Amino acid sequence: MILDRLIPARVAGIDSLGPTLKRFRFEPESGRFPTAAPGAHILVTLRGPERVWKNAYSLVTPPDQRDGYAIIVRRVRDSRGGSHFLHDHLRPGDRVEIGPPASLFPIASLARRHILIGGGIGLTPFLSYVPVLRARGAAFELHQYCTDEETGIFRELLAEAGAGVTVHGETSRRSFTEVLTDQPLGTHVYTCGPAGMMEAVEAAARDLGWPEAAIHKESFGGAEGGRPFRVTLARSGRTLDVPETQSLLEALETAGIEAPCLCRGGACGVCLTGVVDGEIEHRDHVLTEEERAGGRLMATCVSRARSDVLVLDL
């Protein structure tokens, strides 16, 4: 299941933003795309000669733009192939399939003030936040943290964002504690970027006494590889091999097995699947410590096996 249906689309254009960053613009083959909520992402299906990738990317276009969608993708050196395929093989006019937009990172409607903290490519969901916050007349700050080499790239991307935007390089930056100190009651903080950065933002907010309900994050990282393992499906008796460069979810999809999914980053819980036997290496962001210890649920999009074999309730 990928949110009911895929939308046929074509690559309308590709813009090089930097050595490792490209913006990909898509247009529907017919009609218009669905309206997207701020912070929404789409699943893009990429069909290569030997395999298929289904990757989630945040939309950077305004939520009410329906004649075209855009995403920004970094070419990751240790990618399992999706970002390499986009950067190296996708061309204007190529056909892709896009899932309807899904929102797991909404703007808190009752917040009095919004603090947006992005790290590197984690800026992307905030590019769709800004026009909405501006239209609402909402009070907000956007802090983008990046390398010194990329400060110019991100300043250009944020050139039309207006006041309240700061791009922090490595040699001159405010700490998260400084950014979050003395904010008015009712302020919410949103963070997206590398896991270590998001954890540091969360820690700073908690140390300052921020309530948990006012701290929001989006994990944009997809599945990482790991040790190969074998999966047995208890109901059908089928056995699948999961290689080190493939996720369990991808192995199920390759075998033609219906496998629910939404974020493909361990953040939504849609792909949670029952485990009958085996030891799990949990990598998700949704299960409680008690659920992890119980060993009876796993997120197939990111988690893997510690044991040689897993038996799933499928």
Side-chain angles (χ1 to χ4, degrees), residues 18 44-45 53 105 116 145 164 167 190 201 210 214 217 222 232 268 309:
V44 181
T45 299
W53 293 274
F105 195 42
L116 319 177
Y145 290 79
V167 176
Y190 312 76
V201 171
W210 285 54
K217 70 175 182 178
T232 297
C268 69
V309 178

Side-chain angles (χ1 to χ4, degrees), residues 2 8 32 43 56 102 129 139 152 156 177 181:
I2 303 180
R32 293 162 69 84
L43 284 178
Y129 271 39
E156 186 173 349
T177 299
T181 296

